[in-house]
Amino acid sequence: MSETTTANGDGATTVEAGVSPAIADAPREKLTKKAITADLPTWCPGCGDFAVLAAFYKVLEKRNLEHEKIVTLAGIGCSSRFPYFVNGHGAHYIHGRAVPLASGISLARPDLHVFLFGGDGDGFSIGGNHLDHGARKNINMTYFIMDNFVYGLTKKQTSPTSPIGFKSKTDPTGAIDQPVNPMKKLIAGGATFIARTHAANVTHMIQLIERAMDHQGFSVIECLSECVEFFPDVFDPANPKKGGSFEVIQEKKWDSTPEDELRHDVTDELAAYKLATLPFPGVFGVFYETDRPTKNVLEKKWIETSREKTGNASDLEILQKTFDRMK
Ligand SMILES: Cc1ncc(C[n+]2csc(CCOP(=O)(O)OP(=O)(O)O)c2C)c(N)n1
Ligand code: SF4
Ligand SMILES: [Mg+2]
């Protein structure tokens, strides 16, 4: 894009935003909560999703990200209303299809911070297949799944994570199907950063969101976020304020102490799987983290190699040559 200079009302010249190195290098105002707050959340009073939003605002403020590089995406559901409440680029997309939308954005604009928010139904039911493919391709994004064990928006149907026996509009006599275990699914899917938290613990959420966004690749956090309307108190067993206990995974410090033997090695897939088999409410923290090349890096290399083979022709020249071959 070329640089454009215009005269303003008082005769001084200004340079259009987005094109001038002078503007690009100018000191930025600190990103404030006011700047990133878009709308009043429309969740029910007491919904766990409020705390997730608060934690996310805190992370954005703390990291002072470039405002124009923040992208929040979602599918459909109460939790998926999230992008409405964040003043940044965003989209409330088709039910279960946030991952493919995010994949295109992440691959085309690797400079953006791509965050996805959604529910257990959106992620593990209708979007379950997309989740697996985003994970195995290791596309760079951070996916935060607000798991409330129910379809909240559509007013209480059994979700893929509802426990056996849960009475809902679709299972009036109690759910009979084995629920999805999100950690097991994500490990098997090939996600390279997998963690679990609870909406009652904002500090823990902030720590995990920061770690997830620093991770290169497909990072996912499952967050137990209570639907006070259709499945109240279900996460109390992991909430110390309600008599439960929040057990945090102790990660290995590699300090050669006997205690370290017992700590969790986040790079050990089988150990992560074992943690995932613990009975409800289980443990919280990072289950698995590994370093694998992202599709973003692999695809960039492939494009560069292919372009070299064409003698670095422009997109238009390549297209024209293709048309010429078809004549
Ligand atoms: C293709 C399609 N099927 C079904 C629906 C109806 N629907 C909207 S949200 C939803 C479930 C949302 O549940 P979840 O993802 O757990 O989000 P929550 O509301 O619990 O946060 C369903 C079934 C839809 N919008 N589109
Ligand atoms: S229905 Fe449940 S999930 Fe939806 S806003 Fe209300 S409390 Fe939250
Ligand atoms: Mg839900």
Side-chain angles (χ1 to χ4, degrees):
M1 201 189 283
S2 64
E3 190 172 304
T4 350
T5 309
T6 54
N8 64 22
D10 58 12
T13 52
T14 55
V15 183
E16 280 183 17
V19 290
S20 161
I23 285 180
D25 295 341
R28 284 172 169 266
E29 281 179 20
K30 197 174 172 342
L31 191 64
T32 59
K33 185 180 169 196
K34 194 172 169 218
I36 47 186
T37 305
D39 208 348
L40 279 181
T42 47
W43 294 308
C44 307
C47 176
D49 298 353
F50 280 103
V52 178
L53 186 63
F56 186 60
Y57 284 156
K58 280 248 160 32
V59 170
L60 295 186
E61 261 187 299
K62 189 173 165 200
R63 289 301 185 97
N64 198 25
L65 300 183
E66 290 165 302
H67 199 166
E68 70 280 10
K69 294 197 172 164
I70 300 167
V71 186
T72 55
L73 305 165
I76 304 288
C78 292
S79 40
S80 291
R81 287 187 188 141
F82 211 95
Y84 284 126
F85 314 137
V86 181
N87 186 14
H89 301 294
H92 191 35
Y93 199 51
I94 311 168
H95 197 22
R97 272 60 167 187
V99 172
L101 174 69
S103 301
I105 294 171
S106 172
L107 292 169
R109 289 289 306 271
D111 57 316
L112 301 180
H113 304 280
V114 180
F115 298 98
L116 265 74
F117 292 90
D120 40 318
D122 197 67
F124 300 125
S125 261
I126 195 161
N129 192 29
H130 294 301
L131 180 60
D132 284 344
H133 293 287
R136 81 178 168 86
K137 292 176 187 180
N138 200 25
I139 302 171
N140 199 30
M141 65 182 81
T142 297
Y143 191 2
F144 198 99
I145 302 179
M146 286 115 105
D147 189 358
N148 54 13
F149 289 10
V150 67
Y151 288 175
L153 186 76
T154 43
K155 302 184 188 298
K156 201 176 186 179
Q157 292 82 25
T158 300
S159 93
T161 51
S162 299
I164 290 174
F166 175 60
K167 287 191 180 148
S168 70
K169 288 184 183 127
T170 42
D171 276 307
T173 55
I176 51 172
D177 299 320
Q178 171 77 16
V180 164
N181 178 317
M183 294 295 103
K184 285 187 187 174
K185 178 172 168 66
L186 292 164
I187 296 163
T192 51
F193 179 95
I194 304 167
R196 189 164 179 259
T197 186
H198 193 304
N201 193 331
V202 174
T203 311
H204 194 253
M205 276 193 285
I206 293 172
Q207 284 166 0
L208 288 192
I209 297 171
E210 286 198 89
R211 270 182 76 174
M213 61 186 271
D214 288 342
H215 175 80
Q216 288 302 305
F218 194 87
S219 54
V220 198
I221 301 168
E222 181 214 9
C223 175
L224 301 183
S225 178
E226 182 180 335
C227 172
V228 289
E229 203 53 39
F230 300 118
F231 208 166
D233 307 327
V234 58
F235 303 132
D236 288 0
N239 184 353
K241 286 178 212 133
K242 291 191 165 178
S245 100
F246 185 75
E247 199 186 321
V248 178
I249 295 167
Q250 299 303 316
E251 289 177 40
K252 272 198 192 300
K253 296 181 180 162
W254 306 106
D255 58 7
S256 313
T257 59
E259 307 87 84
D260 213 38
E261 296 280 313
L262 301 170
R263 296 191 186 118
H264 175 58
D265 173 3
V266 292
T267 64
D268 185 339
E269 198 174 317
L270 287 180
Y273 201 85
K274 264 194 183 163
L275 285 183
T277 60
L278 291 172
F280 180 80
V283 287
F284 299 87
V286 178
F287 278 60
Y288 185 61
E289 184 171 13
T290 191
D291 208 8
R292 204 175 75 223
T294 62
K295 183 171 173 87
N296 306 62
V297 167
L298 297 173
E299 193 173 86
K300 185 167 178 280
K301 265 195 211 150
W302 167 69
I303 290 171
E304 282 168 1
T305 313
S306 307
R307 201 174 277 283
E308 267 171 32
K309 283 187 194 155
T310 69
N312 287 319
S314 69
D315 291 347
L316 190 63
E317 285 166 340
I318 294 169
L319 197 63
Q320 189 58 58
K321 272 192 186 155
T322 309
F323 285 147
D324 291 346
R325 274 202 305 274
M326 289 157 102
K327 275 181 192 165

